Amino acid sequence: MGSSSTNMVWDYIVFAVFILGCSMIAIYSKFAGPKERTKADYVFATGSVSMAAMMMSIARGTLGVRSFLGESTLSFL
């Protein structure tokens, strides 16, 4: 029983570090990241994204995950 409670403590520590790390990245990018001036800057990234990346994003949004990544041969599992 002692080892399972120790593992649970480590699970909570790892989870807390993960949440803290994600929060710090968001806070850093809010204050130090590039600023969007207009709605078009935010939505279209004002030319900083390549056309291929934008097309892949649109295709991924349109297609399902299985269609985009390829259907598994073991789809019956």
Side-chain angles (χ1 to χ4, degrees), residues 41-66:
D41 290 344
Y42 180 75
V43 174
F44 299 113
T46 59
S48 62
V49 177
S50 70
M51 182 62 74
M54 192 169 294
M55 289 173 64
M56 292 294 284
S57 175
I58 292 170
R60 169 56 197 97
T62 304
L63 302 171
V65 174
R66 290 183 182 198

Side-chain angles (χ1 to χ4, degrees), residues 4 11 13 21 25 31 33 36 43-44 47 49 56 58 66 72:
S4 68
D11 288 343
I13 290 172
I25 290 171
F31 293 111
E36 293 86 8
V43 174
F44 299 113
V49 177
M56 292 294 284
I58 292 170
R66 290 183 182 198
S72 173

Side-chain angles (χ1 to χ4, degrees), residues 8-50:
M8 196 162 82
V9 169
W10 277 109
D11 288 343
Y12 281 115
I13 290 172
V14 169
F15 180 71
V17 168
F18 176 76
I19 295 296
L20 183 66
C22 290
S23 300
M24 294 308 293
I25 290 171
I27 291 169
Y28 174 77
S29 66
K30 171 68 177 163
F31 293 111
K35 306 296 182 218
E36 293 86 8
R37 289 177 177 76
T38 65
K39 192 184 290 187
D41 290 344
Y42 180 75
V43 174
F44 299 113
T46 59
S48 62
V49 177
S50 70

